[in-house]
Amino acid sequence: MTTLLQFPADFLFGCATAAFQIEGSPSADGKGKSIWDTFSHTRGKIHNGENADTACDTYRNPERDIILLDELSLNAYRFSIAWSRVVPEGRGRVNHKGLDYYSHLVDMLLERKITPFITLFHWDTPQALQELCGGFAGRDMPSYFADYGEIVVKTLGDRVKYWITLNEPWEHAFFGHFTGEHAPGVHNPWAYFKVAHHELLGHGKAVESIRAVAPDVKVGITLSQFPIYPYSETPLHQDAARFADLFMNRFYLDGLYRGQYPEALFKRLWPFRPKVEPGDMDIISRPFDFLGVNYYTRQYARHVWYVPFFQAWVDRDPPPGISHPELGPQAYPEGMRELNKRYREEYDNPVVYITENGAEIEDVVENGEIHDWGRQRYIELYLVELAQAIADGSDVRGYFIWTLMDNFEWSSGFSKRMGLVYVNHQNQERIIKDSGHWVAGLVRAQSSISHL
Ligand code: FCB
């Protein structure tokens, strides 16, 4: 069964990727090391001891991936730039070979009428800056980031009209600096808030430095977003859900759109309040052009005593008895509509792009084909809710599937497959999955509907 989906005529359908997860070639053509190069070569950090030295081998053969985008009929592509390819030490000397690589990529996309969306920072801090100032834990980092943004946009801004400053600042701050599951592997709640604040400051400074060199481009930021539900309707769990929402969602939304962090958050977390200097919040809340939203699933919050100060724990797994009838326990397509309602009602209805959404499935190759019906249905049901959000009045202008092809899924290594295209990690062979063929048909059908 397929539901008829219809989106506005100029709606963008794309796929998203990130440099570290696909490019490989960690030191080619003068690239500097990033914290993920270091982390992925640290014992015990990545599933099965894997690393991303080859990944999808995209750096050596970018055209192979671009042809796939074309075969999938997509009209947009979100990818990220590896900061240390362009500025190997993170500041100072520019590596023109790195810039040329991305410039060539952009030209290949434009030749095929695919709109590029570039993320400037998808977690791969240059190792040199980690050593110099602790990466985003350092107060100088926002300025280094704005300078790097300016260098890139100066070269590509004539052709690339959509720029995302940061990808998921919450994840980089939390998994990288609180739990230590991601690079740089720091485990310190004070570092978490420093990083979160400096990331937002970096975003604000980059908005300014980008506009200075390319006033006509659109600049946004991508946040991970979670509808948060109490594990059960008891006052303590309800309170934990409100608190988790402040921590995971509102800190970022309120900082960016209201120029203030939620006071209620620091009532409980008073020892961790980051140092906010005069003027910081004005920089952070400078107007920007769009909100990028990465949405996969909701979270359930529980009150717990054993996490000091936080007293809350969140989990993607719902309480027993709750599950999506077709997609399984963690899926929650309705979240698309709920989140957009929030942006409409509480944040002045910004322009939104869904910059990531997708499903992890244990794909099997059968006679050279991958029948990933579950992924297709997942995308379809999330799109139904997204179309509904637009009908409700939200200004959503595009949707990017995570991801183009199976790639290096951070600390899970190659164990998770999320692509529309299957990748044999032994020989780099690619096979378009059934979901990919279905997406291609959906996008082609949209263009015929809109030409009626
Ligand atoms: C997001 C990341 C992306 C990918 C997906 C599955 O949090 O932005 O790189 O790992 O999750």
Side-chain angles (χ1 to χ4, degrees):
M1 190 196 64
T2 297
T3 324
L4 179 69
L5 283 165
Q6 196 180 338
F7 287 87
D10 47 1
F11 195 79
L12 294 177
F13 279 100
C15 268
T17 61
F20 186 75
Q21 296 179 270
I22 63 168
E23 286 179 354
S25 303
S27 52
D29 295 334
K31 178 181 171 292
K33 259 193 182 191
S34 82
I35 54 171
W36 270 98
D37 291 317
T38 310
F39 190 76
S40 56
H41 282 276
T42 308
R43 230 186 155 150
K45 300 296 184 192
I46 312 290
H47 175 83
N48 264 344
E50 289 160 346
N51 63 61
D53 289 357
T54 305
C56 300
D57 213 13
T58 295
Y59 184 77
R60 296 202 307 170
N61 188 358
E63 197 165 11
R64 175 170 51 192
D65 301 345
I66 310 266
I67 291 171
L68 286 172
L69 291 168
D70 224 2
E71 288 176 0
L72 295 170
S73 297
L74 298 169
N75 53 30
Y77 180 44
R78 172 179 176 230
F79 62 96
S80 82
I81 289 187
W83 183 342
S84 63
R85 268 195 208 288
V86 174
V87 189
E89 285 87 37
R91 55 179 193 145
R93 187 176 60 88
V94 175
N95 176 31
H96 290 282
K97 283 195 175 159
L99 261 183
D100 290 348
Y101 166 76
Y102 294 109
S103 185
H104 178 52
L105 191 66
V106 164
D107 289 339
M108 284 193 287
L109 290 168
L110 294 176
E111 264 166 38
R112 291 173 169 82
K113 299 200 168 32
I114 300 170
T115 304
F117 267 64
I118 297 187
T119 311
L120 286 167
F121 179 72
H122 202 123
W123 307 348
D124 45 355
T125 305
Q127 180 65 31
L129 291 183
Q130 188 64 34
E131 283 158 25
L132 182 75
C133 64
F136 273 105
R139 176 82 202 180
D140 292 335
M141 190 70 168
S143 300
Y144 298 143
F145 176 65
D147 293 347
Y148 148 68
E150 181 181 330
I151 291 165
V152 174
V153 178
K154 227 188 224 163
T155 308
L156 304 182
D158 56 336
R159 286 156 290 155
V160 178
K161 299 301 166 200
Y162 298 94
W163 292 90
I164 295 166
T165 53
L166 309 174
N167 176 70
E168 298 189 351
W170 183 79
E171 271 72 6
H172 180 61
F174 190 72
F175 295 122
H177 302 82
F178 196 127
T179 68
E181 292 159 77
H182 280 185
V186 172
H187 186 65
N188 172 340
W190 283 273
Y192 165 83
F193 275 111
K194 269 193 206 168
V195 170
H197 178 60
H198 293 158
E199 283 184 287
L200 291 180
L201 201 52
H203 155 81
K205 289 194 170 201
V207 169
E208 192 185 26
S209 69
I210 291 171
R211 288 211 199 293
V213 291
D216 64 322
V217 304
K218 305 281 184 213
V219 194
I221 183 171
T222 279
L223 304 179
S224 59
Q225 292 283 278
F226 306 95
I228 302 184
Y229 280 73
Y231 194 75
S232 71
E233 294 299 333
T234 63
L236 281 176
H237 291 336
Q238 285 167 338
D239 178 62
R242 272 191 300 274
F243 172 78
D245 184 40
L246 294 174
F247 181 62
M248 298 170 81
N249 298 319
R250 286 211 187 265
F251 175 86
Y252 298 90
L253 290 168
D254 285 10
L256 291 162
Y257 285 107
R258 298 182 177 160
Q260 57 182 61
Y261 296 136
E263 244 340 277
L265 180 65
F266 294 109
K267 240 189 206 149
R268 189 176 306 181
L269 296 186
W270 55 269
F272 307 107
R273 189 191 279 275
K275 188 155 180 257
V276 175
E277 292 192 3
D280 282 3
M281 298 314 292
D282 294 335
I283 296 173
I284 289 173
S285 60
R286 265 190 193 128
F288 56 98
D289 300 300
F290 63 88
L291 177 65
V293 173
N294 289 357
Y295 173 58
Y296 293 87
T297 186
R298 65 175 148 181
Q299 302 274 349
Y300 287 91
R302 254 183 273 216
H303 172 83
V304 295
W305 295 109
Y306 55 78
V307 187
F309 295 99
F310 286 71
Q311 302 194 333
W313 189 260
V314 298
D315 208 318
R316 291 169 171 235
D317 287 321
I322 295 186
S323 182
H324 188 281
E326 289 179 69
L327 305 177
Q330 291 186 358
Y332 188 58
E334 297 85 344
M336 278 290 185
R337 202 172 167 192
E338 285 173 22
L339 290 170
N340 279 295
K341 182 171 190 280
R342 163 178 275 189
Y343 310 140
R344 231 174 27 248
E345 293 179 354
E346 297 173 54
Y347 296 97
D348 218 11
N349 205 9
V351 172
V352 169
Y353 289 90
I354 304 301
T355 41
E356 284 182 30
N357 172 239
E360 189 225 324
I361 305 244
E362 286 184 27
D363 295 310
V364 260
V365 186
E366 291 171 68
N367 304 320
E369 298 182 345
I370 295 98
H371 305 301
D372 58 337
W373 181 85
R375 182 174 288 110
Q376 166 186 328
R377 191 68 178 140
Y378 177 103
I379 295 169
E380 186 175 14
L381 292 176
Y382 277 67
L383 279 175
V384 167
E385 294 293 329
L386 188 61
Q388 196 52 57
I390 296 173
D392 294 343
S394 285
D395 195 357
V396 186
R397 303 202 184 165
Y399 170 82
F400 293 80
I401 293 164
W402 185 269
T403 178
L404 172 60
M405 59 204 158
D406 301 334
N407 59 38
F408 184 84
E409 193 42 55
W410 308 111
S411 44
S412 307
F414 296 106
S415 66
K416 288 190 175 171
R417 293 188 177 271
M418 300 190 74
L420 293 179
V421 176
Y422 182 91
V423 178
N424 177 331
H425 295 298
Q426 258 66 56
N427 62 12
Q428 295 299 331
E429 189 198 352
R430 269 85 161 139
I431 306 171
I432 298 183
K433 303 178 191 176
D434 283 2
S435 61
H437 292 297
W438 178 83
V439 166
L442 173 83
V443 182
R444 283 197 291 266
Q446 293 300 309
S447 42
S448 53
I449 297 174
S450 62
H451 287 116
L452 287 181

